[in-house]
Amino acid sequence: MNTCKATLRVLLAHRLYIFIYLVLIGIMMFSISGAQLFGSRDEGGSDTYAPGRPTVAVIDRDANRGRIAQEMREYLADSSDLVDLQDDPRTLQQAVASNWVDLIVIIPDGYAEGLIASASSAGADSADSAAGGADSAGSDASHDGAPTVETVTSYTSGVGAMASMDVSGFLGMTRTALIGGNVAVTDGDWAAKYGDADTTAAAPDGIAPTDAAQKGTGTQTQTGTTPDQSTLDMLPNGRLDNLTLDDLADAAKRVRAIAADGNANHAIAVDRSDQASTQAAAGSSAAAANASTDADTAVSGFGSTMKTALYPLFLAMTVCTALVLSVFNAGETRRRLAASPQRFSLMGIQRLATIGVFALIVTVGYLLATLGLMLVAGADVAALPPSGIAMTVIAAFVYALMTVACGFLLGECSSSDTMANGFANLFGLLIMFTSGMWLPVDMMPGFMTVIGRMLPGWWYCTAVDQALGIGTAAHDGVSVAGWAGSVGLVALFAAAFLCIGLAVGRIRRSRPSAVSQAVTQLAE
C-alpha cells in the first residue's frame, strides 16, 4: 500500500506532463473528431445542394433598354448577392483590385438594339428557332454577330466565374426566346417552298400552315408533340419582322419567369433510393434508410474518435511511467528500497499495477468523453453495438498497457526527463502517421504501410476497425477473430517492451555505479 501511495505522489508531482499530454493534446484530438462529427451531421441534415453566393455588380450603360439590366438583376438575385457600384473608372478599378465583388457585369450602350439586330439577321428557320430550345450560353452569345457584355471576374474565388456563366446563360436564353417567340411562317412561305400545291396537304404530319405561323415557344403538332428533326427540315423558313424593345423585354421576362419556376428547374438533391427500397412502402423505406445512415455515422464517428486516443495515451502514459520509474531507480532511493524487508521485485509489480490502474481510468475517461462528444454532435449513441463498444474499450486498454510497458523500458534505461519526452514525441508521431488514423490506408504510400505494420498503432486501429466493422473492415464487417488477432499483436508489443526493460534493468543492476561523492573530503 505504501508503494502505491508513493507511486501516486510521484505521478502527482509530474502532473504538468499529465495536463499537457493528456488534457491539452486530448482536447486537440477531440476537436478534430468533433469537426468530423459535426460535419457528418450537417451533411446528413440536408440533401439539397447549396452553392456559394457570389457578390455581383451590374453596371448598366444602356439605360435599361429592353429591360435587360432589370431582368438580369432579378435573374441573378436568386443565386447571388447584388451590390451597387458607381460607374466611374476609379471605383471599378478599386473594386477589382480590392476584391470587393466576385463579378462585375458591364452592359454597353446600344446592347439591346444590337441584340435585336442580331436576332433579326439570324436567318434561322421557324422550326429550328421554335423547337431548338435554349442553346448553350457561350455559343448563342457569340454566333451570328450577337453583342457581348463585359465581365470582370475575381481572381480569388471560382464563384465569380460561375456567376459569369449564369450571366451568359441568361443572355443566350433571352436571345433564343426573342427569336422563338416572334418567328412567323406565312402562307406565302409555304407556297414558296411547295409551289401552288395545297399547303394544308403539303404540311408534314398534319401540321397546318396557320399552326406554324403562330408566335410561341415551339411549333406543335395537332397531338401536342414536338416534331422530330426530319419533320422540321420539311418546314419552310420563317422570318422575324419589326422586332421592338418591347419584344425583347417580353423575352427577358419569360426567361426570368422560367428560371424562377421550381417545377421547371428543380434543386439539385441527393437520391438515396435503390431497387430494394423502391419495392417497399415509401414511408417505411425512407425511415429505414435514414436509420441505417444514422447508425453508420454514429459507429464511424465513435471508432474514429477512439482511434485518436492513440497519440495522447502514448505521450502521457509513456512519459509518466518513465519518470515514475526513474525516480524509484535513482541510486540512493533504490538502495533504501533494496534494504527494506519487502521484496524489491514485488514493489516493482505494485508500481506497475498502480500505473496500470491509472491507465484504465484514463481509458474509461476517454470513452466517456467520446460518448459525450457524440451526444453534443447529435449522433445516435443508442445505435452503437454494445459488443463493439466493449471490444473497442478492451483494445484501447491493451494499447494503454503497451504504452506503460514502453515507459517501463525507458525507466529501466534510466532516461532523463528530456530523453523520455523526446522519445515519446518522436515515436508517438511515427505511430500516429503510420497507423491509418490520420490518413486513410488507401491514400498512404506503400513504405508507410510497411512501417505501420511493424508498430503497435497500426494494430490498435485495425482492432477498432474489426470491432466495429469500419475503415479497413468496412467490406468484411465485424470480425471477432480479426479483432482478437490485432489485440494480441498489441499485447505482444507490450510483452516485448516489458521483457527488454527487465533485461536492461537486470544488466544495469548487475553493474552498479558509484553513488558516493567522486572526491573524498577528510574530516578534521
Side-chain angles (χ1 to χ4, degrees), residues 180-373:
N182 295 277
V183 68
V185 180
T186 64
D187 293 340
D189 296 323
W190 284 92
K193 186 174 182 65
Y194 294 103
D196 296 332
D198 184 10
T199 56
T200 304
D205 296 333
I207 300 178
T210 54
D211 295 332
Q214 291 176 354
K215 293 183 179 181
T217 58
T219 302
Q220 302 293 324
T221 65
Q222 293 177 350
T223 58
T225 60
T226 302
D228 56 16
Q229 187 61 42
S230 61
T231 302
L232 297 177
D233 293 338
M234 299 174 62
L235 294 175
N237 292 335
R239 66 186 68 230
L240 291 169
D241 295 325
N242 301 323
L243 291 178
T244 64
L245 291 176
D246 292 337
D247 295 330
L248 180 58
D250 291 339
K253 184 176 181 180
R254 288 200 305 271
V255 170
R256 182 183 58 81
I258 294 175
D261 187 2
N263 295 325
N265 295 280
H266 299 282
I268 301 175
V270 178
D271 184 7
R272 300 185 182 276
S273 61
D274 51 23
Q275 285 185 337
S277 62
T278 54
Q279 296 176 359
S284 61
S285 62
N290 291 333
S292 177
T293 302
D294 294 341
D296 293 341
T297 302
V299 172
S300 178
F302 174 76
S304 299
T305 307
M306 288 301 297
K307 287 181 184 179
T308 59
L310 181 147
Y311 186 55
L313 268 180
F314 186 85
L315 289 179
M317 300 311 304
T318 299
V319 172
C320 290
T321 304
L323 295 181
V324 168
L325 294 182
S326 63
V327 170
F328 283 98
N329 288 332
E332 291 294 341
T333 304
R334 180 168 55 82
R335 284 176 176 270
R336 288 195 299 268
L337 293 176
S340 66
Q342 192 174 6
R343 295 182 59 182
F344 187 79
S345 59
L346 181 59
M347 288 188 290
I349 294 174
Q350 291 176 351
R351 289 194 294 270
L352 288 179
T354 303
I355 300 175
V357 172
F358 177 69
L360 177 60
I361 295 173
V362 170
T363 303
V364 174
Y366 209 93
L367 170 66
L368 297 178
T370 300
L371 296 177
L373 179 63

Side-chain angles (χ1 to χ4, degrees), residues 102-169:
D102 297 310
L103 177 67
I104 299 177
V105 182
I106 301 175
I107 303 175
D109 185 19
Y111 179 83
E113 297 291 346
L115 188 60
I116 292 175
S118 68
S120 299
S121 62
D125 59 49
S126 60
D128 291 337
S129 61
D135 298 335
S136 62
S139 62
D140 200 40
S142 61
H143 287 77
D144 298 328
T148 59
V149 296
E150 182 180 354
T151 59
V152 182
T153 307
S154 170
Y155 55 88
T156 61
S157 175
V159 295
M162 298 297 294
S164 179
M165 295 174 62
D166 289 340
V167 171
S168 299

Side-chain angles (χ1 to χ4, degrees), residues 49-117:
Y49 170 68
R53 293 180 64 87
T55 303
V56 180
V58 179
I59 306 299
D60 182 21
R61 297 175 179 174
D62 197 30
N64 196 32
R65 294 187 181 94
R67 295 173 55 92
I68 291 295
Q70 179 180 349
E71 298 295 343
M72 180 186 294
R73 289 191 179 97
E74 295 181 4
Y75 177 86
L76 295 175
D78 293 335
S79 59
S80 307
D81 295 327
L82 300 179
V83 296
D84 295 328
L85 290 179
Q86 293 182 358
D87 187 11
D88 62 84
R90 182 175 180 178
T91 302
L92 297 180
Q93 292 174 6
Q94 189 173 5
V96 174
S98 303
N99 197 31
W100 290 350
V101 293
D102 297 310
L103 177 67
I104 299 177
V105 182
I106 301 175
I107 303 175
D109 185 19
Y111 179 83
E113 297 291 346
L115 188 60
I116 292 175

